[in-house]
Amino acid sequence: MFVHNEIIRYDEVDGFVYDDWTGVVTFIIKGQECEITSLNSLLEGKGIGIALIDEVLREAKEMKCRRVFLITSNDNLHALGFYQRRGFELVAVHRGAINESRKIKPTIPLIGENNIPLRDEIELEILL
Ligand SMILES: CC(C)(COP(=O)(O)OP(=O)(O)OC[C@H]1O[C@@H](n2cnc3c(N)ncnc32)[C@H](O)[C@@H]1OP(=O)(O)O)[C@@H](O)C(=O)NCCC(=O)NCCS
């Protein structure tokens, strides 16, 4: 994955798997910050996403992190709602960040979900 101008390799991150691999969350803890690098649920609307986020928050607290943050794309309206309903707040819009990433990874589509041009990274956080 290419995000905030950095390559994130999925074999180098921590993570939790929901029961029978119906959901996976990955994260990186660096100092007092925990970044959620991916969250995927194969059976939506059954509590898997919330359970995985809760596990990350628990782990981050145990590791004495001060904040948990994540980047999502400007087209992902579902994720923007999902995280805000879980207490995450918008803290930054990195304008054009995905356009920049596309120069390095040209397979990133021009149009994302909801038929929205894929351009910006949106940062959300929750303070612990
Ligand atoms: C975002 C995502 C991870 C959410 O996962 P999920 O498993 O559907 O999440 P949950 O089931 O825990 O919660 C989703 C909704 O279902 C509701 N829900 C949970 N269990 C429920 C149940 N038993 N009955 C009815 N509703 C339920 C939750 O309250 C939540 O509602 P809300 O967001 O409107 O408040 C999932 O949609 C996904 O994989 N999206 C694609 C990848 C992505 O965008 N990832 C995030 C960007 S990093």
Side-chain angles (χ1 to χ4, degrees):
M1 193 170 74
F2 198 78
V3 67
H4 46 60
N5 220 17
E6 235 181 275
I7 295 172
I8 294 175
R9 294 179 54 96
Y10 281 117
D11 52 0
E12 291 173 0
V13 294
D14 286 316
F16 292 112
V17 170
Y18 193 85
D19 284 352
D20 44 0
W21 287 88
T22 43
V24 178
V25 64
T26 64
F27 59 96
I28 297 172
I29 293 182
K30 270 190 209 157
Q32 292 184 310
E33 297 207 322
C34 172
E35 177 175 5
I36 294 174
T37 43
S38 71
L39 173 66
N40 288 91
S41 166
L42 293 180
L43 284 178
E44 292 180 304
K46 298 197 179 309
I48 294 172
I50 293 173
L52 290 169
I53 290 291
D54 285 349
E55 270 308 290
V56 175
L57 294 174
R58 188 199 50 73
E59 176 75 6
K61 276 182 199 152
E62 203 169 298
M63 299 298 285
K64 310 261 184 287
C65 291
R66 293 187 59 193
R67 76 166 188 142
V68 175
F69 75 101
L70 63 101
I71 299 285
T72 192
S73 47
N74 64 292
D75 62 319
N76 198 341
L77 306 182
H78 180 65
L80 287 168
F82 173 81
Y83 284 115
Q84 288 183 84
R85 282 189 290 277
R86 314 276 92 77
F88 284 78
E89 293 181 30
L90 300 176
V91 283
V93 176
H94 304 287
R95 287 186 70 190
I98 298 178
N99 289 339
E100 289 306 307
S101 298
R102 195 179 291 108
K103 291 178 186 164
I104 294 155
K105 191 179 170 189
T107 51
I108 296 174
L110 285 166
I111 304 293
E113 286 177 35
N114 306 295
N115 210 25
I116 294 173
L118 194 47
R119 296 187 180 119
D120 315 307
E121 291 182 348
I122 297 184
E123 185 176 335
L124 295 102
E125 75 171 14
I126 193 164
L127 298 177
L128 300 177

